[in-house]
Amino acid sequence: MTEIVVITGVAGFLGSHLARSLVNSGRSVLGIDNFISGRRGNVQELLSRPKFMFVEADVTDTDLRKKLDISKISEIYHLASPASPKFYTKYPLETIAANTLGTQNMLEIARASDAKLLYTSTSEVYGDPLVHPQPEDYRGNVNTFGPRACYDESKRLGEVYCYEYYDKYKVLVRVARIFNTYSAGLRSDDGRVISNFVTQALTGQDLTVYGQGDQTRTFCYVDDTIQALVKMMATKKTAGEILNIGGAEEVTILELAQLVQQLTATASKLKFLALPVDDPVQRRPNITKATKLINWKPQVSLTQGLEKTIACYKKLI
């Protein structure tokens, strides 16, 4: 019997990269998406591949199980959720539903099919952290009553659903807390900082830096993130565990803007705008646990990843 890997949010940035990687490795993949923030173009090439199947559906649909052959499902990567501020502030209730009701729905399917499930959580669960770098046992400093809360808090509750199904029903869950991932596949209008900076630099617009640009982040190239997710799913000792997945090079947003200026040789200037509400001051993952459990560290440097991203954006623009 052919085993099937389910990917929710398959038309999104990360989901489409993961689907291509798994199909290229010979796996049979069933993708699910409702196209709220995912793009049909992301799965267009996949639709012609015999190892790829697609169902247009919402993960909160309680009838979704009837549309799937659960006897063949061996793994579920639950990625469905708007992931950039531009989209989750536009679709706050849909974001909450995908990460809570949608997560429970996919956990029920995993339970019925005796499948492993990997839930993609986020560094946003740490809020504006008071501990640096952030280990998995840090409980965060979050605001439940603000424009980012629909994403941050629903991701946190999604983790709780995973814990309960692992504890009560022994569903083999894994939780990946993903820190900023990027590549050329990140849509140019996504609203996240690297897509903003690269698009602005290549089109001659000012690069918009929020605040003074002294807030810090790390960035992980998509190939490294995908490798981590696949390793997490394949490693038995990650069952019931939470792992930080993210880059190791901490830079300020100002330094990132200046690096993009340098690599694109743009004449664009920097434009400083007011800092958004609840924008974290400092964020970097402690990836000791990922290194220990799945022998993973990011391999692509920020400069290398930006060079790849810029080269592809140039062709698109």
Side-chain angles (χ1 to χ4, degrees):
M1 181 181 73
T2 301
E3 293 186 338
I4 293 174
V5 180
V6 171
I7 302 175
T8 70
V10 74
F13 163 59
L14 201 56
S16 57
H17 274 85
L18 176 61
R20 279 191 290 275
S21 178
L22 292 177
V23 169
N24 288 342
S25 69
R27 304 295 299 276
S28 294
V29 173
L30 172 64
I32 300 170
D33 209 295
N34 65 357
F35 297 113
I36 277 188
S37 59
R39 295 189 297 182
R40 294 180 188 274
N42 284 346
V43 293
Q44 197 61 48
E45 181 270 334
L46 283 164
L47 292 172
S48 64
R49 308 281 289 274
K51 291 279 189 178
F52 182 77
M53 299 155 283
F54 179 74
V55 174
E56 184 172 347
D58 193 305
V59 291
T60 65
D61 180 3
T62 53
D63 289 329
L64 179 58
R65 178 175 169 177
K66 298 175 184 177
K67 302 174 184 178
L68 310 176
D69 185 351
I70 63 171
S71 67
K72 294 182 179 180
I73 297 173
S74 61
E75 298 173 357
I76 299 172
Y77 289 87
H78 180 38
L79 279 62
S81 171
S84 75
K86 174 179 178 178
F87 288 108
Y88 62 66
T89 54
K90 183 178 181 180
Y91 302 108
L93 299 180
E94 292 87 349
T95 299
I96 294 168
N99 288 317
T100 57
L101 301 176
T103 299
Q104 184 181 24
N105 203 21
M106 298 314 300
L107 285 163
E108 281 290 345
I109 291 172
R111 180 186 173 198
S113 57
D114 196 26
K116 298 183 288 184
L117 182 141
L118 186 148
Y119 171 62
T120 53
S121 187
T122 172
S123 61
E124 296 290 337
V125 302
Y126 298 120
D128 190 3
L130 304 177
V131 172
H132 191 77
Q134 296 82 57
E136 289 86 352
D137 60 1
Y138 175 53
R139 297 181 183 181
N141 176 38
V142 297
N143 179 12
T144 65
F145 203 78
R148 301 172 76 101
C150 62
Y151 184 64
D152 305 0
E153 290 301 286
S154 65
K155 282 292 188 184
R156 286 165 67 96
L157 185 51
E159 291 188 10
V160 179
Y161 272 110
C162 289
Y163 168 78
E164 294 296 346
Y165 273 75
Y166 177 73
D167 182 62
K168 184 181 290 289
Y169 302 119
K170 312 306 177 189
V171 175
L172 297 178
V173 302
R174 291 108 165 108
V175 175
R177 287 183 181 155
I178 297 175
F179 288 64
N180 301 60
T181 297
Y182 73 100
S183 85
L186 196 60
R187 55 191 292 177
S188 59
D189 64 345
D190 181 78
R192 282 179 268 196
V193 64
I194 284 184
S195 58
N196 277 355
F197 282 171
V198 173
T199 299
Q200 289 166 344
L202 293 178
T203 56
Q205 304 174 61
D206 290 340
L207 276 62
T208 50
V209 177
Y210 292 95
Q212 297 303 307
D214 52 4
Q215 62 272 45
T216 70
R217 298 290 186 272
T218 66
F219 298 93
C220 192
Y221 195 69
V222 69
D223 294 351
D224 285 329
T225 300
I226 295 300
Q227 182 191 53
L229 298 183
V230 172
K231 279 191 167 190
M232 281 185 69
M233 185 67 90
T235 305
K236 288 184 179 180
K237 56 189 173 183
T238 60
E241 297 288 348
I242 297 172
L243 270 67
N244 285 335
I245 304 299
E249 300 174 70
E250 184 178 359
V251 297
T252 67
I253 297 301
L254 180 59
E255 289 170 338
L256 176 66
Q258 291 168 339
L259 181 56
V260 170
Q261 284 179 313
Q262 175 189 331
L263 294 175
T264 57
T266 184
S268 298
K269 306 298 182 184
L270 302 182
K271 180 180 181 181
F272 294 87
L273 302 175
L275 197 65
V277 175
D278 295 331
D279 194 48
V281 173
Q282 192 174 32
R283 190 175 282 166
R284 174 164 63 93
N286 182 326
I287 59 171
T288 302
K289 192 173 179 182
T291 302
K292 180 181 178 180
L293 292 185
I294 62 173
N295 190 29
W296 177 86
K297 286 183 179 179
Q299 301 300 309
V300 181
S301 72
L302 179 58
T303 297
Q304 291 170 332
L306 284 174
E307 286 173 341
K308 293 181 179 182
T309 302
I310 290 164
C312 289
Y313 269 54
K314 280 182 178 178
K315 294 177 183 177
L316 294 172
I317 290 173

